[in-house]
Amino acid sequence: MKKQDVSSRNGLNELNGSEWVYFTRSILTTSYPSEYSHHLRKAHGANKPPQLMRQLIEFFTKPGARVLDPFAGVGGTLIGASICAKPREALGIEINSQWVEIYQRVLEENQDQLLPQPMLHGDCLTLMREMESASFDFIATDPPYNIHMTQTMSGKRKANQHASRRTTYDMRSDDPADLANLTSYETYLEAMEHIFQECARLLKPRKYMVIIVRDAYQHGEYIFTHVDLARRARLHGLIPKGEIIWYQTGTRLRPYGYPFAYIPNIAHQYIVILQKQ
């Protein structure tokens, strides 16, 4: 079958109509192969599949675009930009030197496959303030979901006996500017609002930003993190345009609350889509 032509009116990407419509589904289920030195990248508990980031970049940009990731982690967005059918230029910022080092090792192991996209080590807010306004075509990032707890399930004896009860998500760095070190949810939202303000300044008009985030259950309460972040972003001209519920197959279920109370296994994440007005 002949591939459908790309519309001459398409100013956003190089997808044809069928590819465009397929992307706009509000639910995405993925199962990607472990490529691009996944054995190194999996040290980061929230590393994002480069294949997913490629999909996002190819939908929201054309070749020649510049992409920014203020919370680059182990480089999923940068790798995604490199593996696009027509690679894009990308810049990452990461506060934790451990993740920067892993990304550099990934580049060394994949020299024949990946472009060496730059990653800056430091506080994203400080570094973004030094960058030129309206200099990026797309921002894609996976910020800290919340303030970080060292352990989300109690009971050391059972944690030692059962893998399903070992849930340590402490990924703090030693940097006081690391959002994971904040002491309350409200201060986390305030810090993210400052970052959204800089993202809005750096993004070109009418261009898009996506944030990948998981809701949280902390201190006995379900927190709609993706909604709270979208509302903070809107204060700075980043208008919510939709969300994609992303489920990565193989997510482990844990016995939260059993056998006393309902506590959800949060098996999905949100891809929140924002546009600069």
Side-chain angles (χ1 to χ4, degrees):
M1 184 186 302
K2 181 181 178 182
K3 179 178 171 64
Q4 182 181 349
D5 293 333
V6 177
S7 171
S8 60
R9 297 176 296 169
N10 184 350
L12 181 59
N13 54 45
E14 291 194 327
L15 303 185
N16 61 41
S18 297
E19 293 167 332
W20 183 300
V21 171
Y22 188 76
F23 179 89
T24 59
R25 293 172 304 156
S26 61
I27 297 178
L28 175 65
T29 302
T30 65
S31 179
Y32 298 113
S34 299
E35 297 179 303
Y36 311 111
S37 299
H38 178 72
H39 65 284
L40 295 175
R41 294 187 294 105
K42 70 180 182 180
H44 189 296
N47 76 90
K48 289 298 169 286
Q51 301 93 329
L52 170 66
M53 305 316 293
R54 169 184 173 171
Q55 282 183 265
L56 295 171
I57 291 168
E58 289 190 329
F59 185 87
F60 288 107
T61 69
K62 282 181 173 288
R66 294 188 72 216
V67 179
L68 173 67
D69 186 346
F71 298 96
V74 290
T77 300
L78 306 186
I79 299 170
S82 295
I83 63 175
C84 287
K86 297 178 181 178
R88 275 64 158 172
E89 177 185 348
L91 173 66
I93 304 172
E94 175 51 49
I95 199 168
N96 193 328
S97 61
Q98 178 184 356
W99 310 138
V100 177
E101 292 168 5
I102 286 178
Y103 173 65
Q104 295 302 327
R105 290 172 61 190
V106 170
L107 290 180
E108 292 172 5
E109 288 192 1
N110 298 270
Q111 295 182 34
D112 297 335
Q113 294 179 280
L114 300 178
L115 296 173
Q117 308 276 13
M119 183 185 291
L120 305 179
H121 176 220
D123 171 35
C124 66
L125 192 58
T126 300
L127 293 172
M128 287 193 295
R129 284 171 173 164
E130 300 172 355
M131 297 178 184
E132 183 181 353
S133 298
S135 55
F136 290 94
D137 301 278
F138 183 49
I139 299 177
T141 196
D142 171 25
Y145 301 152
N146 203 322
I147 56 175
H148 281 198
M149 292 184 166
T150 57
Q151 185 173 320
T152 60
M153 293 185 72
S154 61
K156 290 186 178 181
R157 180 179 60 82
K158 288 188 176 181
N160 291 332
Q161 295 174 352
H162 306 287
S164 64
R165 285 187 172 269
R166 292 195 288 271
T167 56
T168 300
Y169 293 116
D170 183 9
M171 293 186 291
R172 296 174 175 88
S173 70
D174 295 328
D175 195 311
D178 190 337
L179 270 60
N181 293 325
L182 296 174
T183 57
S184 73
Y185 184 59
E186 185 61 29
T187 56
Y188 162 75
L189 292 178
E190 290 172 358
M192 284 300 301
E193 185 178 333
H194 291 305
I195 290 164
F196 286 135
Q197 184 176 13
E198 281 305 303
C199 288
R201 184 183 65 82
L202 294 177
L203 198 58
K204 294 178 182 178
R206 305 295 299 173
K207 298 299 183 179
Y208 289 88
M209 175 178 182
V210 301
I211 55 173
I212 303 175
V213 66
R214 189 196 305 269
D215 287 345
Y217 189 94
Q218 291 189 351
H219 305 296
E221 179 182 0
Y222 190 92
I223 302 171
F224 294 90
T225 310
H226 78 288
V227 176
D228 292 337
L229 290 178
R231 287 173 174 166
R232 295 294 179 120
R234 195 183 190 284
L235 296 175
H236 299 282
L238 296 170
I239 307 303
K241 291 293 183 177
E243 64 185 15
I244 299 172
I245 298 171
W246 172 44
Y247 171 63
Q248 192 170 15
T249 59
T251 302
R252 179 182 291 178
L253 298 179
R254 304 180 186 278
Y256 297 123
Y258 177 82
F260 304 108
Y262 170 76
I263 298 176
N265 268 278
I266 305 174
H268 66 283
Q269 298 180 52
Y270 290 93
I271 302 173
V272 181
I273 301 159
L274 309 164
Q275 185 181 33
K276 180 178 177 178
Q277 297 295 293

